[in-house]
Amino acid sequence: MADSSLNPFLRAQQAFKEAVETLNLEPAVYELLRQPLRFFEVAVPFIRDDGTLQVFTGYRAHHNDALGPTKGGLRFHPDVNADEVKALSMWMTVKCALLGLPYGGGKGGIACDPEQLSELELERLSREYIRSIASVIGPDKDIPAPDVSTNPQIMAWMVDEYSRIRGENTFGMITGKPLVIGGSAGRVEATGRGLLLAVREMARQINIDFTQSRVAIQGFGNVGSVAALAATELGARVVSVSDKEGGIFNPDGLDIKDVLAYKQVHRNVTGYPQSEPIANADVLELPVDILIPAALENVITADNAGRIRARIVGEGANGPTTEEADNILFEKGVMVVPDILANAGGVTVSYFEWVQNQMRFYWTEEEVFRRLEEMMGAAIEAMHDMHEHYGVSLRRAAYLVAVDRIAQAMRVRGWLR
Ligand code: NAD
């Protein structure tokens, strides 16, 4: 797989190259995928609270729109730069195609430190950014969403600004909105829920009875705690969870609702009565069927991969497994459900939000989760089939499914010669 010593943009290019070669596709597929079709860099001027003018740099990438309008988050962070935005838009293309969403990949952001901005400054900056890119976004063109340091309130200001520019309410131009202005039920739980549904379908594919399985989860935040709750709801036994202060373990299974209530009071899971303490690193090596790293990147490395005893690893976090560890786990026959699929519940429910906005008809949470289950299940199946057909890791197989679909779309649209 892609050399992890490269920068994210070069790594994304290498992953596309490998997929095009494995599938024996026309070289033009790679030529079209190796960079965004369109990339915008904009100066975003805004007035500080003290009346001075400051200009930040904003970006928006449309990587590939063969399958539909581009879709992807907006990040506000000092490290945002052109290469990062391009790479993230490439990953979004893969994610959307893999999940069967009628979208291409996009991404954007502003190089800024939101912690240095007042609430009013954040609002002015968000509105100015939308003014700068208004002509290249829209519900049938490119649909942003929240990412690092952006949230439903920022999406609300942005949809308001865009609607003012257009002179009409255009809720479908952005997702991750507050419920009252066209957000979707289930959006907050989407990533954790989708992760668990993906892992459960993976278990089914390799004949593990999910209801008899033991689960360990590193990270008990938005993703980890929702996945833990869904796991117990769907009949598995969650024997360990952890947060940054450490973990808790109970071989008979933890009462996750009770652990959540405990965490609300004590801020961490450590000290929870019906459990033994366990170090964060040891959570990863427990004798469980399913391991879910849902905290940080690079926690499964060449050092500990050999000691992982789970049969399925569901990557809730982005990039929790290093490339060396990935190879070790593949040799051991551990099924690593890659982040690109495992944490795609968020973008899938974003898609549902956009569909509901276009229809102006809103679904219940139950309906959202039912459709999420269908889409995660289909993606797991397609990836698993590709894994069996080519004898490659699930991560590589995920790229093969996605690139094959995008290439088909580009071919019938007449982009390839
Ligand atoms: P969060 O901040 O809500 O939770 C993070 C959890 O990890 C917390 O329980 C924290 O205590 C724990 N943690 C921090 N340092 C730790 C350490 N050293 N050891 C063990 N636990 C530690 O974040 P989240 O939204 O749940 O996101 C978790 C991961 O999932 C991140 O990698 C994020 O990029 C990824 N992700 C999140 C979403 C989403 O929709 N929230 C979507 C895609 C990917």
Side-chain angles (χ1 to χ4, degrees), residues 302-355:
D303 289 340
N304 62 4
R307 296 193 299 274
I308 301 277
R309 287 189 272 178
R311 293 182 57 199
I312 297 175
V313 173
E315 294 188 332
N318 285 319
T321 315
T322 66
E323 195 188 341
E324 297 79 10
D326 218 24
N327 293 334
I328 296 169
L329 294 177
F330 180 61
E331 292 302 320
K332 272 167 61 109
V334 178
M335 304 302 272
V336 181
V337 181
D339 47 7
I340 208 144
L341 195 167
N343 64 33
V347 66
T348 305
V349 174
S350 265
Y351 161 57
F352 296 160
E353 178 176 334
W354 175 83
V355 168

Short mmCIF file of all heavy atoms in Angstrom, two decimals, residues 302-355:
data_model
loop_
_atom_site.label_atom_id
_atom_site.label_comp_id
_atom_site.label_asym_id
_atom_site.label_seq_id
_atom_site.Cartn_x
_atom_site.Cartn_y
_atom_site.Cartn_z
N ALA A 302 3.99 -1.82 14.55
CA ALA A 302 4.77 -3.06 14.39
C ALA A 302 5.08 -3.67 15.77
O ALA A 302 5.24 -4.88 15.89
CB ALA A 302 6.04 -2.77 13.63
N ASP A 303 5.13 -2.84 16.81
CA ASP A 303 5.46 -3.33 18.16
C ASP A 303 4.36 -4.19 18.77
O ASP A 303 4.64 -5.16 19.45
CB ASP A 303 5.71 -2.15 19.12
CG ASP A 303 7.01 -1.45 18.79
OD1 ASP A 303 7.85 -2.09 18.12
OD2 ASP A 303 7.17 -0.29 19.19
N ASN A 304 3.10 -3.78 18.58
CA ASN A 304 2.03 -4.54 19.27
C ASN A 304 1.14 -5.36 18.33
O ASN A 304 0.33 -6.17 18.80
CB ASN A 304 1.17 -3.60 20.15
CG ASN A 304 0.47 -2.52 19.33
OD1 ASN A 304 0.55 -2.50 18.11
ND2 ASN A 304 -0.24 -1.63 20.01
N ALA A 305 1.29 -5.20 17.02
CA ALA A 305 0.37 -5.88 16.09
C ALA A 305 0.41 -7.40 16.27
O ALA A 305 -0.64 -8.07 16.22
CB ALA A 305 0.71 -5.51 14.64
N GLY A 306 1.59 -7.93 16.55
CA GLY A 306 1.72 -9.38 16.73
C GLY A 306 0.94 -9.89 17.93
O GLY A 306 0.63 -11.08 18.00
N ARG A 307 0.66 -8.99 18.87
CA ARG A 307 -0.05 -9.42 20.09
C ARG A 307 -1.56 -9.17 20.03
O ARG A 307 -2.27 -9.44 21.00
CB ARG A 307 0.55 -8.72 21.31
CG ARG A 307 2.02 -9.12 21.57
CD ARG A 307 2.48 -8.65 22.94
NE ARG A 307 2.42 -7.21 23.07
CZ ARG A 307 3.39 -6.36 22.71
NH1 ARG A 307 4.51 -6.84 22.20
NH2 ARG A 307 3.25 -5.06 22.85
N ILE A 308 -2.04 -8.61 18.93
CA ILE A 308 -3.50 -8.36 18.80
C ILE A 308 -4.20 -9.71 18.67
O ILE A 308 -3.82 -10.53 17.82
CB ILE A 308 -3.79 -7.49 17.54
CG1 ILE A 308 -3.06 -6.16 17.62
CG2 ILE A 308 -5.30 -7.34 17.31
CD1 ILE A 308 -3.67 -5.07 18.39
N ARG A 309 -5.21 -9.92 19.50
CA ARG A 309 -5.87 -11.23 19.46
C ARG A 309 -7.25 -11.19 18.82
O ARG A 309 -7.90 -12.22 18.63
CB ARG A 309 -5.94 -11.81 20.88
CG ARG A 309 -4.54 -12.26 21.32
CD ARG A 309 -4.58 -13.02 22.60
NE ARG A 309 -4.47 -12.12 23.75
CZ ARG A 309 -4.52 -12.52 25.01
NH1 ARG A 309 -4.70 -13.80 25.29
NH2 ARG A 309 -4.42 -11.66 26.00
N ALA A 310 -7.74 -9.98 18.52
CA ALA A 310 -9.07 -9.86 17.91
C ALA A 310 -9.06 -10.45 16.50
O ALA A 310 -8.01 -10.48 15.84
CB ALA A 310 -9.46 -8.39 17.85
N ARG A 311 -10.21 -10.90 16.04
CA ARG A 311 -10.29 -11.41 14.66
C ARG A 311 -10.71 -10.31 13.70
O ARG A 311 -10.48 -10.38 12.50
CB ARG A 311 -11.25 -12.59 14.60
CG ARG A 311 -10.66 -13.77 15.39
CD ARG A 311 -11.54 -14.97 15.34
NE ARG A 311 -11.79 -15.39 13.97
CZ ARG A 311 -12.80 -16.19 13.63
NH1 ARG A 311 -13.64 -16.62 14.55
NH2 ARG A 311 -12.97 -16.54 12.37
N ILE A 312 -11.41 -9.29 14.28
CA ILE A 312 -11.82 -8.15 13.46
C ILE A 312 -11.35 -6.87 14.16
O ILE A 312 -11.52 -6.72 15.37
CB ILE A 312 -13.36 -8.09 13.32
CG1 ILE A 312 -13.87 -9.33 12.58
CG2 ILE A 312 -13.80 -6.82 12.61
CD1 ILE A 312 -15.38 -9.42 12.51
N VAL A 313 -10.74 -5.97 13.40
CA VAL A 313 -10.41 -4.64 13.92
C VAL A 313 -11.25 -3.64 13.14
O VAL A 313 -11.18 -3.61 11.90
CB VAL A 313 -8.90 -4.32 13.75
CG1 VAL A 313 -8.60 -2.88 14.14
CG2 VAL A 313 -8.04 -5.28 14.57
N GLY A 314 -12.05 -2.86 13.82
CA GLY A 314 -12.88 -1.85 13.15
C GLY A 314 -12.29 -0.47 13.42
O GLY A 314 -12.33 0.01 14.55
N GLU A 315 -11.73 0.15 12.38
CA GLU A 315 -11.02 1.42 12.58
C GLU A 315 -11.98 2.61 12.70
O GLU A 315 -12.30 3.25 11.71
CB GLU A 315 -10.05 1.66 11.42
CG GLU A 315 -8.91 0.66 11.36
CD GLU A 315 -7.85 1.03 10.32
OE1 GLU A 315 -8.20 1.68 9.31
OE2 GLU A 315 -6.69 0.65 10.52
N GLY A 316 -12.38 2.89 13.94
CA GLY A 316 -13.23 4.05 14.18
C GLY A 316 -12.45 5.34 14.00
O GLY A 316 -12.89 6.29 13.36
N ALA A 317 -11.24 5.37 14.58
CA ALA A 317 -10.37 6.55 14.42
C ALA A 317 -9.83 6.58 13.00
O ALA A 317 -9.87 5.57 12.29
CB ALA A 317 -9.21 6.46 15.42
N ASN A 318 -9.31 7.72 12.60
CA ASN A 318 -8.64 7.81 11.31
C ASN A 318 -7.20 7.35 11.48
O ASN A 318 -6.49 7.82 12.36
CB ASN A 318 -8.65 9.26 10.80
CG ASN A 318 -10.02 9.65 10.29
OD1 ASN A 318 -10.70 8.86 9.63
ND2 ASN A 318 -10.46 10.85 10.61
N GLY A 319 -6.78 6.39 10.66
CA GLY A 319 -5.39 5.94 10.65
C GLY A 319 -4.87 5.36 11.95
O GLY A 319 -3.74 5.65 12.35
N PRO A 320 -5.61 4.49 12.66
CA PRO A 320 -5.08 3.93 13.91
C PRO A 320 -4.03 2.85 13.69
O PRO A 320 -3.29 2.52 14.62
CB PRO A 320 -6.33 3.32 14.58
CG PRO A 320 -7.24 2.99 13.45
CD PRO A 320 -7.00 4.03 12.39
N THR A 321 -3.94 2.30 12.47
CA THR A 321 -3.01 1.20 12.20
C THR A 321 -1.89 1.68 11.27
O THR A 321 -2.18 2.21 10.20
CB THR A 321 -3.77 0.04 11.50
OG1 THR A 321 -5.02 -0.17 12.18
CG2 THR A 321 -2.98 -1.24 11.49
N THR A 322 -0.65 1.49 11.68
CA THR A 322 0.46 1.89 10.78
C THR A 322 0.55 0.88 9.64
O THR A 322 0.01 -0.23 9.72
CB THR A 322 1.82 1.93 11.52
OG1 THR A 322 2.15 0.58 11.89
CG2 THR A 322 1.78 2.82 12.75
N GLU A 323 1.29 1.26 8.61
CA GLU A 323 1.39 0.39 7.44
C GLU A 323 2.05 -0.94 7.78
O GLU A 323 1.60 -2.00 7.34
CB GLU A 323 2.19 1.12 6.36
CG GLU A 323 2.03 0.45 5.02
CD GLU A 323 2.97 1.04 3.99
OE1 GLU A 323 3.48 2.15 4.18
OE2 GLU A 323 3.21 0.33 3.00
N GLU A 324 3.10 -0.88 8.63
CA GLU A 324 3.79 -2.12 9.02
C GLU A 324 2.83 -3.02 9.80
O GLU A 324 2.77 -4.24 9.58
CB GLU A 324 5.01 -1.81 9.91
CG GLU A 324 6.10 -0.98 9.27
CD GLU A 324 5.78 0.51 9.21
OE1 GLU A 324 4.80 0.94 9.85
OE2 GLU A 324 6.52 1.24 8.51
N ALA A 325 2.06 -2.42 10.71
CA ALA A 325 1.11 -3.19 11.51
C ALA A 325 0.04 -3.80 10.61
O ALA A 325 -0.39 -4.94 10.80
CB ALA A 325 0.47 -2.30 12.57
N ASP A 326 -0.37 -3.04 9.62
CA ASP A 326 -1.38 -3.51 8.68
C ASP A 326 -0.92 -4.80 8.00
O ASP A 326 -1.68 -5.76 7.87
CB ASP A 326 -1.58 -2.41 7.61
CG ASP A 326 -3.03 -2.28 7.20
OD1 ASP A 326 -3.90 -2.65 8.00
OD2 ASP A 326 -3.27 -1.81 6.08
N ASN A 327 0.35 -4.81 7.59
CA ASN A 327 0.90 -6.00 6.93
C ASN A 327 0.93 -7.19 7.89
O ASN A 327 0.61 -8.31 7.51
CB ASN A 327 2.31 -5.71 6.39
CG ASN A 327 2.27 -4.69 5.27
OD1 ASN A 327 1.25 -4.55 4.58
ND2 ASN A 327 3.36 -3.96 5.08
N ILE A 328 1.33 -6.92 9.15
CA ILE A 328 1.40 -8.00 10.14
C ILE A 328 0.00 -8.59 10.37
O ILE A 328 -0.20 -9.80 10.39
CB ILE A 328 2.01 -7.48 11.47
CG1 ILE A 328 3.46 -7.04 11.24
CG2 ILE A 328 1.91 -8.52 12.58
CD1 ILE A 328 4.09 -6.29 12.39
N LEU A 329 -0.98 -7.70 10.52
CA LEU A 329 -2.35 -8.17 10.77
C LEU A 329 -2.89 -8.95 9.57
O LEU A 329 -3.58 -9.96 9.72
CB LEU A 329 -3.27 -6.99 11.11
CG LEU A 329 -2.94 -6.26 12.42
CD1 LEU A 329 -3.87 -5.06 12.62
CD2 LEU A 329 -3.06 -7.19 13.63
N PHE A 330 -2.55 -8.49 8.37
CA PHE A 330 -3.00 -9.19 7.16
C PHE A 330 -2.42 -10.61 7.14
O PHE A 330 -3.14 -11.59 6.90
CB PHE A 330 -2.57 -8.40 5.91
CG PHE A 330 -2.99 -9.05 4.63
CD1 PHE A 330 -4.33 -9.26 4.34
CD2 PHE A 330 -2.04 -9.47 3.70
CE1 PHE A 330 -4.73 -9.87 3.15
CE2 PHE A 330 -2.42 -10.08 2.51
CZ PHE A 330 -3.76 -10.27 2.24
N GLU A 331 -1.13 -10.72 7.46
CA GLU A 331 -0.48 -12.05 7.49
C GLU A 331 -1.13 -12.95 8.54
O GLU A 331 -1.24 -14.15 8.35
CB GLU A 331 1.03 -11.91 7.82
CG GLU A 331 1.85 -11.24 6.73
CD GLU A 331 1.75 -11.98 5.39
OE1 GLU A 331 1.75 -13.22 5.40
OE2 GLU A 331 1.64 -11.31 4.34
N LYS A 332 -1.56 -12.35 9.66
CA LYS A 332 -2.19 -13.13 10.74
C LYS A 332 -3.64 -13.47 10.43
O LYS A 332 -4.30 -14.17 11.20
CB LYS A 332 -2.21 -12.27 12.03
CG LYS A 332 -0.96 -12.40 12.89
CD LYS A 332 -0.93 -11.30 13.96
CE LYS A 332 -2.08 -11.32 14.93
NZ LYS A 332 -1.74 -11.74 16.29
N GLY A 333 -4.18 -12.90 9.35
CA GLY A 333 -5.57 -13.17 8.98
C GLY A 333 -6.58 -12.34 9.76
O GLY A 333 -7.77 -12.67 9.80
N VAL A 334 -6.10 -11.27 10.42
CA VAL A 334 -7.04 -10.38 11.12
C VAL A 334 -7.74 -9.49 10.09
O VAL A 334 -7.08 -8.94 9.20
CB VAL A 334 -6.29 -9.49 12.15
CG1 VAL A 334 -7.25 -8.54 12.85
CG2 VAL A 334 -5.55 -10.35 13.15
N MET A 335 -9.05 -9.39 10.17
CA MET A 335 -9.79 -8.58 9.21
C MET A 335 -9.83 -7.13 9.70
O MET A 335 -10.54 -6.83 10.66
CB MET A 335 -11.22 -9.11 9.05
CG MET A 335 -11.30 -10.56 8.65
SD MET A 335 -10.44 -10.88 7.09
CE MET A 335 -11.73 -10.57 5.94
N VAL A 336 -9.06 -6.27 9.07
CA VAL A 336 -9.04 -4.86 9.47
C VAL A 336 -10.02 -4.09 8.59
O VAL A 336 -9.78 -3.90 7.40
CB VAL A 336 -7.62 -4.26 9.33
CG1 VAL A 336 -7.62 -2.78 9.77
CG2 VAL A 336 -6.62 -5.06 10.16
N VAL A 337 -11.16 -3.72 9.17
CA VAL A 337 -12.14 -2.92 8.41
C VAL A 337 -11.58 -1.50 8.38
O VAL A 337 -11.50 -0.84 9.42
CB VAL A 337 -13.53 -2.95 9.06
CG1 VAL A 337 -14.52 -2.14 8.23
CG2 VAL A 337 -14.02 -4.39 9.22
N PRO A 338 -11.14 -1.02 7.19
CA PRO A 338 -10.38 0.24 7.15
C PRO A 338 -11.23 1.46 7.49
O PRO A 338 -12.44 1.48 7.21
CB PRO A 338 -9.89 0.29 5.70
CG PRO A 338 -10.87 -0.52 4.93
CD PRO A 338 -11.35 -1.59 5.85
N ASP A 339 -10.57 2.46 8.06
CA ASP A 339 -11.24 3.71 8.45
C ASP A 339 -12.12 4.28 7.34
O ASP A 339 -13.22 4.78 7.58
CB ASP A 339 -10.19 4.76 8.89
CG ASP A 339 -9.00 4.90 7.93
OD1 ASP A 339 -9.02 4.28 6.85
OD2 ASP A 339 -8.06 5.63 8.28
N ILE A 340 -11.65 4.16 6.12
CA ILE A 340 -12.35 4.77 5.00
C ILE A 340 -13.78 4.22 4.87
O ILE A 340 -14.70 4.91 4.42
CB ILE A 340 -11.51 4.56 3.71
CG1 ILE A 340 -11.77 5.67 2.73
CG2 ILE A 340 -11.66 3.21 3.11
CD1 ILE A 340 -10.56 6.05 1.95
N LEU A 341 -13.98 2.98 5.32
CA LEU A 341 -15.34 2.43 5.35
C LEU A 341 -15.90 2.48 6.78
O LEU A 341 -17.04 2.88 7.00
CB LEU A 341 -15.33 0.98 4.84
CG LEU A 341 -16.69 0.38 4.47
CD1 LEU A 341 -16.50 -0.91 3.70
CD2 LEU A 341 -17.63 0.14 5.61
N ALA A 342 -15.06 2.08 7.75
CA ALA A 342 -15.56 1.91 9.12
C ALA A 342 -16.12 3.20 9.69
O ALA A 342 -17.08 3.18 10.46
CB ALA A 342 -14.45 1.37 10.02
N ASN A 343 -15.52 4.37 9.35
CA ASN A 343 -16.08 5.60 9.91
C ASN A 343 -16.84 6.43 8.87
O ASN A 343 -17.01 7.64 9.02
CB ASN A 343 -15.05 6.39 10.72
CG ASN A 343 -13.89 6.92 9.88
OD1 ASN A 343 -14.07 7.25 8.71
ND2 ASN A 343 -12.73 7.01 10.49
N ALA A 344 -17.39 5.74 7.86
CA ALA A 344 -18.13 6.44 6.80
C ALA A 344 -19.61 6.62 7.12
O ALA A 344 -20.37 7.11 6.28
CB ALA A 344 -17.98 5.69 5.47
N GLY A 345 -20.02 6.25 8.33
CA GLY A 345 -21.43 6.46 8.70
C GLY A 345 -21.80 7.93 8.67
O GLY A 345 -22.93 8.30 8.32
N GLY A 346 -20.83 8.79 9.01
CA GLY A 346 -21.08 10.23 9.03
C GLY A 346 -21.45 10.76 7.65
O GLY A 346 -22.47 11.43 7.48
N VAL A 347 -20.64 10.43 6.65
CA VAL A 347 -20.93 10.96 5.31
C VAL A 347 -22.19 10.30 4.74
O VAL A 347 -22.95 10.93 3.98
CB VAL A 347 -19.72 10.83 4.35
CG1 VAL A 347 -19.36 9.41 4.03
CG2 VAL A 347 -20.00 11.59 3.05
N THR A 348 -22.46 9.07 5.15
CA THR A 348 -23.67 8.40 4.64
C THR A 348 -24.92 9.10 5.16
O THR A 348 -25.86 9.36 4.40
CB THR A 348 -23.64 6.91 5.05
OG1 THR A 348 -22.42 6.34 4.57
CG2 THR A 348 -24.82 6.15 4.47
N VAL A 349 -24.92 9.45 6.45
CA VAL A 349 -26.09 10.17 6.97
C VAL A 349 -26.11 11.61 6.46
O VAL A 349 -27.18 12.19 6.29
CB VAL A 349 -26.18 10.05 8.51
CG1 VAL A 349 -27.30 10.91 9.07
CG2 VAL A 349 -26.42 8.58 8.90
N SER A 350 -24.95 12.17 6.13
CA SER A 350 -24.92 13.47 5.45
C SER A 350 -25.66 13.38 4.12
O SER A 350 -26.40 14.28 3.72
CB SER A 350 -23.48 13.89 5.16
OG SER A 350 -22.99 14.71 6.17
N TYR A 351 -25.41 12.28 3.42
CA TYR A 351 -26.13 12.04 2.15
C TYR A 351 -27.64 11.98 2.41
O TYR A 351 -28.43 12.60 1.70
CB TYR A 351 -25.60 10.75 1.51
CG TYR A 351 -26.48 10.13 0.47
CD1 TYR A 351 -26.90 10.87 -0.65
CD2 TYR A 351 -26.93 8.81 0.59
CE1 TYR A 351 -27.72 10.29 -1.61
CE2 TYR A 351 -27.75 8.24 -0.37
CZ TYR A 351 -28.15 8.98 -1.46
OH TYR A 351 -28.98 8.43 -2.40
N PHE A 352 -28.04 11.26 3.47
CA PHE A 352 -29.47 11.17 3.79
C PHE A 352 -30.03 12.57 4.10
O PHE A 352 -31.17 12.88 3.75
CB PHE A 352 -29.72 10.25 5.00
CG PHE A 352 -29.33 8.81 4.78
CD1 PHE A 352 -29.10 7.97 5.86
CD2 PHE A 352 -29.19 8.29 3.50
CE1 PHE A 352 -28.75 6.64 5.67
CE2 PHE A 352 -28.83 6.95 3.29
CZ PHE A 352 -28.61 6.14 4.39
N GLU A 353 -29.22 13.39 4.77
CA GLU A 353 -29.67 14.75 5.10
C GLU A 353 -29.96 15.52 3.80
O GLU A 353 -30.99 16.18 3.67
CB GLU A 353 -28.59 15.46 5.92
CG GLU A 353 -28.93 16.90 6.28
CD GLU A 353 -27.88 17.55 7.18
OE1 GLU A 353 -27.17 16.84 7.92
OE2 GLU A 353 -27.77 18.79 7.15
N TRP A 354 -29.06 15.43 2.86
CA TRP A 354 -29.19 16.11 1.56
C TRP A 354 -30.43 15.60 0.81
O TRP A 354 -31.20 16.38 0.25
CB TRP A 354 -27.90 15.88 0.79
CG TRP A 354 -27.80 16.37 -0.62
CD1 TRP A 354 -27.50 17.62 -1.04
CD2 TRP A 354 -27.92 15.57 -1.81
NE1 TRP A 354 -27.42 17.66 -2.41
CE2 TRP A 354 -27.68 16.41 -2.91
CE3 TRP A 354 -28.20 14.21 -2.05
CZ2 TRP A 354 -27.71 15.96 -4.23
CZ3 TRP A 354 -28.23 13.76 -3.37
CH2 TRP A 354 -27.99 14.63 -4.44
N VAL A 355 -30.61 14.27 0.83
CA VAL A 355 -31.80 13.69 0.17
C VAL A 355 -33.07 14.26 0.80
O VAL A 355 -33.99 14.69 0.10
CB VAL A 355 -31.80 12.13 0.30
CG1 VAL A 355 -33.15 11.55 -0.12
CG2 VAL A 355 -30.68 11.53 -0.53
#
